[in-house]
């Protein structure tokens, strides 16, 4: 397969960070920052975007950062760049989570292109699947096989266990509904009407409360959800998908660096590029 045109290391890493920010994240909070150092791209957690009521330990923030790290590796591959991934646990710098280092050329494959297309077209759809029958065994096996390279374990619930899971989810939802801090946080991240930002979950992606096995989180507090309750069918898509946030005027950079939050719209979210 044809190799892409050769680009400077900084441009390759910049493009990887820019496109990777399409990754899903908790409430589309996009709690990450990127920084380039030579031929290395560093990923940091952005704790100013941590949902402290929903995610007080920051576990979902870290999972979100894992998604954007994965997307960066996909983009690098389709750009024809090989890279090593170093996951970092440094008590002296707990926000530094990972480092991607360019190591040379990479032969782009059809699988690289397929994954790149998937991450660019992915969207979140909270409507229930069409039908209520269990998934076929071959689909469950495929899901398990897909997660193995990422050291992610999977568990398929037996139909007799689904009721217990649904009960636990409903009880958790009841607790959340009584938590004023949680309610304020959800309202903040679902009513972000600043045109320059593309974070949070808009009401156009919310689903009305209807009878279903497990409760759906209310992403339209005090507003009319933008989607019919479902079921979703092939060919129907919500009118919204994640886009990197952009907040003009918000820099927070050390001297000699610039942040995408204070630059023109093409810059990726949470950006810091070392001069």
């Amino acid at each position: 397969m044809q190799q892409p045109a050769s680009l400077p290391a900084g441009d390759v890493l910049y493009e990887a960070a820019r496109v990777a920010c399409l990754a899903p994240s908790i409430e589309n909070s996009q709690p990450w920052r990127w920084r380039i150092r030579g031929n290395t791209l560093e990923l940091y957690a952005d704790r100013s975007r941590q949902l402290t009521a929903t995610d007080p330990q920051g576990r979902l923030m870290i999972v979100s950062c894992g998604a954007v790290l994965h997307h960066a590796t996909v983009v690098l591959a389709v750009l024809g760049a090989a890279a090593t991934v170093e996951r970092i646990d440094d008590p002296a710098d707990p926000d530094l989570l990972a480092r991607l280092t360019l190591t040379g050329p990479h032969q782009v494959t059809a699988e690289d292109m397929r994954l790149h297309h998937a991450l660019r077209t992915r969207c979140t759809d909270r409507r229930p699947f069409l039908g209520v029958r269990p998934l076929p065994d071959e689909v469950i096996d495929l899901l398990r096989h897909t997660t193995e390279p990422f050291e992610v374990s999977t568990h398929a619930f037996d139909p007799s266990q689904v009721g217990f899971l649904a009960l636990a989810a409903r009880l958790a939802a009841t607790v959340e509904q009584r938590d004023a801090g949680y309610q304020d946080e959800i309202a903040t991240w679902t009513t972000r009407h600043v045109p320059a930002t593309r974070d949070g979950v808009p009401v156009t992606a919310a689903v009305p409360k209807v009878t279903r096995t497990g409760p759906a989180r209310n992403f339209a507090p005090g507003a009319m959800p933008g989607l019919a309750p479902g079921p979703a069918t092939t060919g129907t898509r919500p009118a919204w998908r994640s886009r990197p946030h952009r907040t003009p005027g918000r820099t927070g950079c050390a001297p000699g660096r610039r942040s995408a939050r204070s630059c023109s719209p093409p810059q990726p979210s949470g950006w810091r590029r070392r001069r």
Side-chain angles (χ1 to χ4, degrees), residues 79-235:
L79 289 174
T84 59
V85 180
E86 178 189 2
R87 293 170 177 83
I88 300 170
D89 182 12
D90 183 0
D93 191 0
D95 292 344
L96 177 58
L97 303 179
R99 184 178 291 119
L100 289 161
T101 303
L102 299 179
T103 58
H106 165 77
Q107 184 68 37
V108 182
T109 66
E111 178 67 5
D112 294 333
M113 298 181 69
R114 186 189 70 80
L115 289 174
H116 182 254
H117 174 75
L119 74 84
R120 281 187 171 273
T121 56
R122 180 207 64 83
C123 66
T124 300
D125 193 332
R126 295 176 177 82
R127 293 171 292 183
F129 287 104
L130 180 64
V132 295
R133 291 176 295 178
L135 290 174
D137 290 341
E138 57 268 24
V139 174
I140 294 176
D141 290 340
L142 175 61
L143 293 173
R144 284 192 174 123
H145 177 72
T146 302
T147 63
E148 287 173 357
F150 306 102
E151 300 180 1
V152 174
S153 61
T154 58
H155 175 76
F157 282 91
D158 183 271
S160 63
Q161 298 175 312
V162 173
F164 293 102
L165 177 64
L167 176 60
R170 285 194 292 270
L171 292 175
T174 300
V175 172
E176 290 177 337
Q177 290 299 319
R178 296 172 180 171
D179 186 332
Y182 170 83
Q183 291 299 319
D184 289 344
E185 193 170 75
I186 284 291
T188 297
W189 286 93
T190 55
T191 56
R192 299 171 75 83
H193 299 304
V194 181
T197 66
R198 295 181 179 179
D199 50 6
V201 181
V203 294
T204 54
V207 181
K209 183 178 180 179
V210 294
T211 301
R212 56 195 298 178
T213 304
R217 185 168 292 177
N218 181 15
F219 285 106
M224 179 64 68
L227 291 176
T233 57
T234 301

